[in-house]
Amino acid sequence: LILIMPDTSPRGEGVPDQDPKAYDFGVGAGFYLNATTDEYATHYNMLDYITQELPTMIASKLPLVPGKMGIMGHSMGGHGALTIALKNPGVYRSVSAFSPITNPMDVPWGQKAFTLYLGEDQEAWKEYDSVELVKRYQGPPLRLLVDQGTADSFLTEQLKPGTLKSACDESGIDLILRMQPGYDHSYHFISTFIQDHLLFHASFLTGVLRWCPDEDVLPAPSVHSSLEEVEPPETAGLEIECLAAVAFEPKKLLELVKVKVAPPQKGEVRIKHVSVALCHTDAYTLDGQDPEGIFPSILGHEASGIVESVGEGVTEFKPGDHVIPQDISLCTSVRAFTGKGVMKADGQPRFSYEGAPIYHFMGTSSFAEYSVLHAE
C-alpha cells in the first residue's frame, strides 16, 4: 500500500479564517468541501483538491496502479472520506473511517462550518452530509468500515454513528460499525485499530482476503492468505490435468471429464478452486439462451480459490494467495477476449480435452478444479 496523508485545509498567505482561530473551522478544519460563500470560496476547495488535484499530482510522482484507490479518515477527515466516496461512486474501491462526523447538518460542528462555507441554504448542505448522501446513493455496491469509541466525549453531540447506521440499513449499504468499549477520540484509538483498516483496504485493493470484521465468526484459516512467502508448487509452468464439468452442447447435461489446463501466460493467474457456487447465468447459458454462449465450455463464475501459479508480469498475486475469482466479462481491457472464451495473451483458451479446445466462460470457468484467469 502507498499511504497519502493530505492536509485538512488550504495553507499559505492570505487564506481567510476566523479570529480567533479555532480547531473546528478554517485552517483547522476545511471539511473537505468546495466553499461557495464570498469569503471562503477562493481558497477552500478541499473537495477538488482531494478528488482532482492531489490524485493527478501523485500519479505523476509515484508508481500507482490505475483504478485502485481507497479513502479513509478520522473525525472531520472521516466525514470527508465518507462523503467523498459517496459523491464519487466507483472511484474508491474501499472506504473506512474512525469516529466520523456522520450527520454534520444536525450537529454543532457541521452547522457552524456549513453556514460559514456554504451559506444558509440547507439544501446545499446535503451535498456534504454522509447520512443524506447515503439516502440517495445510486452507485455500485459499497461497504463501509467505521470504528467508534464508546468513551468518545463527542459521540452523542457531534458524531452520531447510530444515525449513519440507520440510513445505511434503510438504503441497503453494507456498514460495519464497530463500537469499541472504553476508547475515546484520540490518536491512541486510531493506532490500536489501524491495522484492521489497512488490511480491510488491502483486501479490496488487491482481491486477496486478509481480514474479517468479526473475530468470533472468522472463516476457517483456509480462506485467508498467508503473509509469508509460499514456494511455487511443482506444477508451476506445467500443464495440469484435472476434473471439470464441461458443457459440450447447449441443453445437454454437463459431463464430468478430465481436462488439461495450460500454465498461465503473460498477465494471467492459475488458481485451484476451493468452493464453487451455481448462478442462474450458468443455467441460462447452458439452456442456449446466451447469444455469446460458446460450446464446448466450462461454466461457473462464482467461487473462491488459491493461486497456484502466476504468469509473466503478474506482481499483485503470488502462489498461496486466497482469492475470489471475479466475473470480468464487462472489464473493457479484456472484454473482447472473455466474450469469445479465450485469453488476451494469445487469443486461445487454456483448457483442452482430448486435444480439442474447451472455452472459458465469463473470464472465470469455476466448474473445474483449476482455471486460468486474467490478473487485471
Side-chain angles (χ1 to χ4, degrees):
L1 298 177
I2 297 175
L3 303 183
I4 306 298
M5 313 294 190
D7 209 335
T8 64
S9 317
R11 302 291 167 184
E13 295 296 327
V15 175
D17 201 351
Q18 284 190 306
D19 189 16
K21 290 180 173 58
Y23 74 92
D24 59 357
F25 183 78
V27 296
F31 271 80
Y32 298 104
L33 48 70
N34 289 338
T36 56
T37 55
D38 292 342
E39 185 174 0
Y40 297 102
T42 299
H43 292 87
Y44 286 81
N45 294 285
M46 292 300 291
L47 173 63
D48 284 351
Y49 173 68
I50 296 296
T51 61
Q52 299 176 30
E53 181 180 347
L54 185 60
T56 300
M57 183 273 290
I58 294 171
S60 69
K61 304 289 185 181
L62 298 174
L64 303 184
V65 178
K68 293 195 174 184
M69 181 164 54
I71 190 167
M72 66 185 297
H74 168 246
S75 193
M76 186 272 294
H79 145 82
L82 295 176
T83 56
I84 288 172
L86 290 163
K87 288 170 69 68
N88 295 273
V91 173
Y92 302 93
R93 291 199 178 188
S94 51
V95 189
S96 75
F98 289 89
S99 314
I101 307 170
T102 68
N103 193 194
M105 290 182 62
D106 196 40
V107 303
W109 279 343
Q111 291 166 351
K112 170 186 174 180
F114 285 1
T115 300
L116 292 169
Y117 287 136
L118 303 172
E120 300 290 343
D121 182 6
Q122 294 198 9
E123 287 300 311
W125 295 10
K126 291 181 180 180
E127 294 299 316
Y128 300 100
D129 186 293
S130 294
V131 169
E132 294 297 326
L133 292 170
V134 161
K135 291 177 181 178
R136 64 175 193 260
Y137 181 75
Q138 296 294 322
L142 188 64
R143 172 173 287 183
L144 312 175
L145 171 61
V146 172
D147 272 318
Q148 173 63 62
T150 60
D152 193 320
S153 59
F154 304 116
L155 177 60
T156 56
E157 183 183 16
Q158 304 280 16
L159 306 178
K160 297 184 179 292
T163 307
L164 177 65
K165 185 179 188 306
S166 296
C168 287
D169 288 345
E170 292 175 9
S171 299
I173 290 181
D174 191 355
L175 168 65
I176 301 170
L177 174 60
R178 306 194 305 179
M179 301 300 296
Q180 304 292 1
Y183 284 92
D184 58 17
H185 201 71
S186 72
Y187 296 111
H188 301 290
F189 171 48
I190 301 174
S191 67
T192 302
F193 298 103
I194 188 65
Q195 183 176 11
D196 283 354
H197 285 245
L198 295 179
L199 291 173
F200 172 82
H201 286 271
S203 297
F204 282 93
L205 296 173
T206 66
V208 180
L209 182 62
R210 298 191 184 277
W211 181 79
C212 181
D214 191 342
E215 293 183 359
D216 295 331
V217 293
L218 276 173
S222 63
V223 303
H224 285 277
S225 173
S226 170
L227 297 180
E228 300 176 356
E229 291 296 325
V230 176
E231 290 294 326
E234 295 180 357
T235 52
L238 304 176
E239 192 173 64
I240 291 177
E241 187 175 56
C242 70
L243 287 172
V246 179
F248 284 99
E249 299 178 53
K251 300 182 183 294
K252 299 290 186 180
L253 294 177
L254 303 181
E255 293 187 36
L256 191 62
V257 299
K258 283 193 173 183
V259 300
K260 293 182 177 179
V261 186
Q265 296 191 21
K266 183 177 180 180
E268 299 173 1
V269 176
R270 187 163 63 184
I271 69 170
K272 180 179 181 180
H273 292 118
V274 174
S275 52
V276 179
L278 176 68
C279 175
H280 73 279
T281 308
D282 303 310
Y284 174 83
T285 301
L286 184 60
D287 201 37
Q289 299 184 58
D290 185 353
E292 288 190 335
I294 301 174
F295 299 90
S297 63
I298 297 175
L299 303 176
H301 63 281
E302 296 183 354
S304 65
I306 302 172
V307 174
E308 178 267 344
S309 59
V310 300
E312 177 188 348
V314 176
T315 58
E316 297 177 60
F317 304 99
K318 63 182 185 301
D321 280 347
H322 291 244
V323 295
I324 298 176
Q326 176 62 48
D327 161 25
I328 54 173
S329 61
L330 299 180
C331 181
T332 55
S333 63
V334 296
R335 180 68 179 87
F337 302 92
T338 56
K340 297 177 181 178
V342 297
M343 303 300 289
K344 180 179 179 179
D346 61 358
Q348 299 294 321
R350 299 289 170 261
F351 300 110
S352 63
Y353 174 67
E354 296 184 345
I358 303 292
Y359 294 96
H360 298 252
F361 176 65
M362 298 179 76
T364 309
S365 291
S366 56
F367 291 177
E369 291 183 288
Y370 288 85
S371 185
V372 177
L373 288 76
H374 294 100
E376 59 188 295

